Each structure stands twice: as structure tokens, then as C-alpha cells.
Amino acid sequence: MEKIVIRGGIPLKGSVTVSGSKNAALPLMCASLLSRDEMTFHKVPALRDIRTTKQLLLQLGVQLDDFTPGTLRIKAREIIDHTAPYELVKTMRASVMVLGPLMAREGRADVSLPGGCAIGARPIDQHLKGLEAMGASIELQNGYIQARANRLEGADFTFDLKTVTGTENLIMAAALAKGTTVLRNCAIEPEITELAGVINRMGGCIVGAGTDTIVIEGKDRLQGIVHEIMPDRIEAGTFIMAACITRGDITVSECEPEHLAALLEKLEEAGLKVETSERQVRVISNGRVKSRNIETNPYPGFATDFQAQYMALMALGDSDCYITENVFENRYMHVQELVRMGARIRVSGRVAKVQGVKELSGAHVQATDLRASASLILAGLSAKGVTEIHRVYHLDRGYEHLEEKLANLGADVRREKDDML
Ligand code: EPU
């Protein structure tokens, strides 16, 4: 195992380029199953979740070719297996996104139920209800969802709640279904709009992505295209908060400022100077951050994927504030680790009260999930002394070349072999 060692207290300065989005790339890789032709993706980030998805696609019989870094070619001429096995789904829930395309193209899929994960129970009942509405029969056998259909048929389906991968799964299912599907109460995250745009360029017919009602006219076949993955808004926001917590001055380039609106608005309230231009955000932090409440909500609200990093920032706030996690019921695994670094945080149900302290101190801490790990990195960058973050494999799921990028901004950060765990 490996650990990340940070000597904190250095203000970040300079510029950083955002990588391609993990949460856009994963559904797009699954959408390759919808066509027998070759799909080419550029700006595919080098991340563990991407490698897991490649493994899954290979197992289904798909041809993969990634000889140049960042470019991935996927050709699903034949599909020889229909199973997303437990070993892969347990390491990455997003594996359930093969369910929609497999059902659309093959009329069968065996996908392991994800079970609990570090950030809550996260059921997939909405994905399954939607497929049933489209004519699929769903059974549970030995921990696997067995979905079957002759050909999926268009349906009018209303989600009980906003779900990102649920919306993506049903868009992909409907893209090759017979007739027209109307999906209501859809999530409207930018990654969903990206997926719909790609399927449209493949020859699909999807209207309304980015609003809560999406209409999909199913096609008999879709063709291969070349596509560049959109920038990772969560990575961009994480760097912005890293600049804020270290009282730095950085420019985040090749990002989409519009996708960061809720975060930037809150950080400006907290005292950060923000300058946006096309595909670029400069942030300048001079003094102690002001404590400001947030509550997480589906897009365009304040993203749950920023909650942990924002909490690290508020741990150093000038007074008290409340953070409310509305999207996941158990996404406070980072709290105890931040407390070990001197933060004063008390959680009661969905609400965390954060009492700002003047400084955090370096400590040994343990990463528990991807964004929790990012919050510990931020805390470490600002803390007095040395912080050692163990179990960093969580970080490698979602942040490409993180230490290199931080080091380029002046941080004292390195990765080392971990003998402790
Ligand atoms: N939910 C249900 N039933 C369902 C689906 C979802 O009850 O059938 C609940 C979940 O338990 C959760 C809420 O609905 O309480 C929202 O979950 P959602 O389905 O939107 O989450 P997701 O699609 O599994 C994606 C991202 C997450 C991000 C969330 C929320 C991908 C691959 N993952 O997950 O990203 O936190 O949306 O924005 O797109 C991350 O990148 O660190 C990450 C966890």
C-alpha cells in the first residue's frame, strides 16, 4: 500500500489543468456497448475506476485499445458475456451502468447487487423500476439481478427521486428500445447532458437532457463516433478549495466555470476572490475564510462530492457553520479524521456543526472514500507539520496525477510506500 505525506502551510500558487471527467467517462464507456462500431474517446483520465470499467468491458467481450495515454478505443462488435461480477461491482458501484446498455442491445444482463458502500446504502431500485416499466423482467438470484427482455419498449416513467446513474442507465436503455420513452423527474447533472449529446451524435434521438423531462426515441442501431470527455468539475472544485484553504492564488484551466456556479458563489460569500473567464477560473484567497452554511443537493445545487472538502475548509472558518448532507445518508466518514487534526465538528443526523479553529495540526489519518480522501489532502495542505494519509487507493479512483499537480502548485507532497497498514 501507499501513503501520501504532506508538509502543510504552503500557499498554492500557479496554474493547473483539469483532467477529463471520471463521472462522464464511466457512462460513456458503458454507452459504447450500444454500438457494434468503434468509439474513440480522448481525455480519458488515468484512474482506477476507469481501469475497473475496462476490465468489466473486456469481460463482456469488448475490444479495447489504449496505446496512447488519454485515448481509448472501444469496439463492442460482439458481446459474449452479460455479467457484471460481484468482484468488480463491489469495488465500483458505477459498474451497474452496463445494465441499461446490455438490456437494450442483448435483452439480458446479470449484474451483482452493489450492497452497502462507504457513503451509504445506495440502492438501485429506480434503475430496476425503470427497466421494468420498459418491459424487463427482473429477478434476484444469488446476489445478482437477472434482467431479461425480448426487446425493451418505450415507456413513460417517473423517478421517485433524482438519481444520476439511474437517469444515465435508463437513457442508454431507451436509446435502442422500441418506440418512445419519456423519463420524468430526471437528474440534470452536466454528465447526463454529455451522455445524451454523445448518443445523439451516434445517431440517437434524445431531447430534454439537462431538464427534468427527457424524451428518447429508440433507434435500431447506433454508430461509432470520436469524442473528447468533458472536464472534471469535481477535480476543478477540489483544486479551487485547495487554493482557498492554503490562502493561495491559482488559475484552474480547461474547466467549465458554469458547472461550478454553486460552489463559487458560496466561496465568494466566504471571502474568496473569484475571476472567471471562458474555460478558466482564477481564485485568490487572502485571509481567514468566513464560516458559511451549505446544504448539498442534486445539480445545480451544492454538490455532495464537494461536501467533505468544504468541511475541511470550514474547519478553519472564522466562526461556526452548519453543513447538511441531503443526498447521501452517511457521508461523514471524514469527520473523525479531521477531528484528529484538530477540527471541531459534531454530527447529528444529516447535519454537521463545524466550529472554526485557527489552525489544524498534521497527523496520521486514514482515507475512507474518494472525496473524504480529498478533504484530508486539503486539511494536510493547510495543517501545521506533517500529515500522512493512509489508504490512498481511494484517491486514485478519482484524481489523476494529484501529487504531481499539487507539487506543481508549490505543495510539499509526496507518495511513499506505506508500511503501517
Ligand atoms: N438512490 C436510490 N435509489 C436508486 C438510485 C439512487 O435510493 O435507484 C439514492 C441514493 O442512495 C442516494 C441518492 O439517491 O441517496 C442519489 O444517488 P445517485 O443515484 O444520484 O448517485 P449515483 O448515481 O450512484 C453519482 C456519482 C457520485 C455522486 C452522486 C450524486 C457517478 C459514477 N457517481 O452517483 O459520485 O456523488 O451521483 O451526485 O456518476 C464520486 O465521484 O465520488 C461519487 C460518489
Side-chain angles (χ1 to χ4, degrees):
M1 284 222 214
E2 292 177 319
K3 64 182 174 185
I4 288 184
V5 182
I6 303 177
R7 184 175 297 277
I10 303 171
L12 298 187
K13 293 236 155 43
S15 116
V16 62
T17 302
V18 174
S19 299
S21 159
K22 165 180 86 79
N23 288 349
L26 299 178
L28 288 174
M29 289 170 75
C30 296
S32 301
L33 293 168
L34 294 170
S35 175
R36 293 170 63 84
D37 300 343
E38 185 173 85
M39 298 285 288
T40 303
F41 296 112
H42 296 300
K43 283 219 167 176
V44 179
L47 300 172
R48 200 157 65 95
D49 277 6
I50 299 289
R51 288 196 292 279
T52 307
T53 309
K54 284 185 196 167
Q55 232 180 308
L56 175 58
L57 293 177
L58 280 172
Q59 173 155 333
L60 300 178
V62 168
Q63 288 172 275
L64 289 181
D65 159 7
D66 56 351
F67 57 85
T68 47
T71 295
L72 175 63
R73 294 200 185 110
I74 305 178
K75 192 170 182 180
R77 177 151 297 279
E78 305 292 343
I79 292 176
I80 55 167
D81 194 358
H82 305 88
T83 311
Y86 177 65
E87 304 82 76
L88 294 181
V89 180
K90 82 166 191 261
T91 60
M92 191 192 68
R93 280 188 91 260
S95 313
V96 301
M97 276 190 292
V98 296
L99 184 58
L102 281 179
M103 285 303 288
R105 176 154 159 197
E106 300 281 301
R108 74 177 284 184
D110 294 347
V111 173
S112 171
L113 259 186
C117 73
I119 60 177
R122 296 177 87 185
I124 54 163
D125 56 304
Q126 298 301 306
H127 306 228
L128 303 181
K129 271 170 104 173
L131 286 173
E132 277 177 331
M134 296 171 79
S137 73
I138 310 271
E139 277 184 26
L140 184 65
Q141 283 283 348
N142 308 106
Y144 278 74
I145 294 149
Q146 294 186 334
R148 301 287 182 270
N150 287 327
R151 183 179 178 189
L152 293 177
E153 293 194 2
D156 192 323
F157 178 74
T158 305
F159 290 98
D160 296 332
L161 47 79
K162 303 264 184 201
T163 158
V164 178
T165 51
T167 304
E168 291 165 343
N169 232 339
L170 293 191
I171 287 177
M172 291 189 278
L176 291 178
K178 185 164 179 275
T180 302
T181 300
V182 183
L183 301 176
R184 301 178 198 274
N185 194 25
C186 296
I188 61 167
E189 270 67 2
E191 294 76 15
I192 295 170
T193 314
E194 168 113 329
L195 172 68
V198 166
I199 295 176
N200 280 343
R201 285 184 49 228
M202 292 166 75
C205 181
I206 303 172
V207 178
T211 74
D212 65 5
T213 304
I214 303 179
V215 181
I216 305 129
E217 194 194 305
K219 297 288 177 184
D220 291 334
R221 75 176 287 278
L222 295 170
Q223 71 210 22
I225 60 157
V226 178
H227 177 73
E228 183 177 297
I229 310 278
M230 66 186 277
D232 194 312
R233 63 192 166 100
I234 308 302
E235 187 201 13
T238 302
F239 278 110
I240 287 168
M241 286 187 273
C244 199
I245 205 168
T246 60
R247 301 189 188 178
D249 174 351
I250 71 164
T251 299
V252 180
S253 60
E254 289 182 39
C255 67
E256 205 52 77
E258 192 192 317
H259 296 165
L260 296 164
L263 175 70
L264 294 177
E265 193 184 314
K266 194 48 78 173
L267 293 178
E268 279 189 297
E269 270 181 43
L272 190 72
K273 190 162 178 254
V274 178
E275 294 168 6
T276 55
S277 52
E278 206 189 327
R279 308 222 357 127
Q280 188 161 298
V281 179
R282 180 178 175 197
V283 288
I284 306 159
S285 163
N286 288 317
R288 190 170 178 186
V289 72
K290 293 182 199 143
S291 299
R292 288 291 177 270
N293 301 340
I294 55 125
E295 53 176 271
T296 67
N297 275 311
Y299 192 84
F302 192 100
T304 173
D305 291 343
F306 288 143
Q307 180 259 107
Q309 301 91 311
Y310 186 81
M311 186 180 283
L313 190 58
M314 286 301 122
L316 291 164
D318 66 350
S319 58
D320 299 352
C321 72
Y322 293 90
I323 292 180
T324 308
E325 174 55 60
N326 288 322
V327 178
F328 292 110
E329 75 275 19
N330 181 24
R331 207 176 192 180
Y332 283 135
M333 309 289 278
H334 43 287
V335 169
Q336 285 317 312
E337 303 302 304
L338 290 174
V339 166
R340 298 191 66 251
M341 297 178 72
R344 295 182 65 190
I345 306 168
R346 267 215 321 269
V347 176
S348 168
R350 286 184 176 273
V351 182
K353 180 177 181 187
V354 187
Q355 290 176 275
V357 295
K358 277 219 166 89
E359 65 178 21
L360 297 174
S361 58
H364 283 273
V365 287
Q366 224 173 85
T368 48
D369 78 62
L370 171 56
R371 308 305 170 189
S373 320
S375 85
L376 300 178
I377 295 273
L378 263 57
L381 288 171
S382 71
K384 196 158 178 238
V386 175
T387 299
E388 296 200 8
I389 300 159
H390 303 279
R391 301 200 174 171
V392 293
Y393 54 88
H394 290 290
L395 264 184
D396 298 334
R397 292 187 54 192
Y399 290 95
E400 188 182 45
H401 309 313
L402 184 67
E403 309 92 85
E404 289 95 311
K405 288 185 179 186
L406 287 172
N408 281 338
L409 294 169
D412 182 346
V413 51
R414 59 188 189 277
R415 184 180 287 246
E416 287 180 3
K417 199 164 160 291
D418 195 353
D419 299 321
M420 191 182 254
L421 294 164

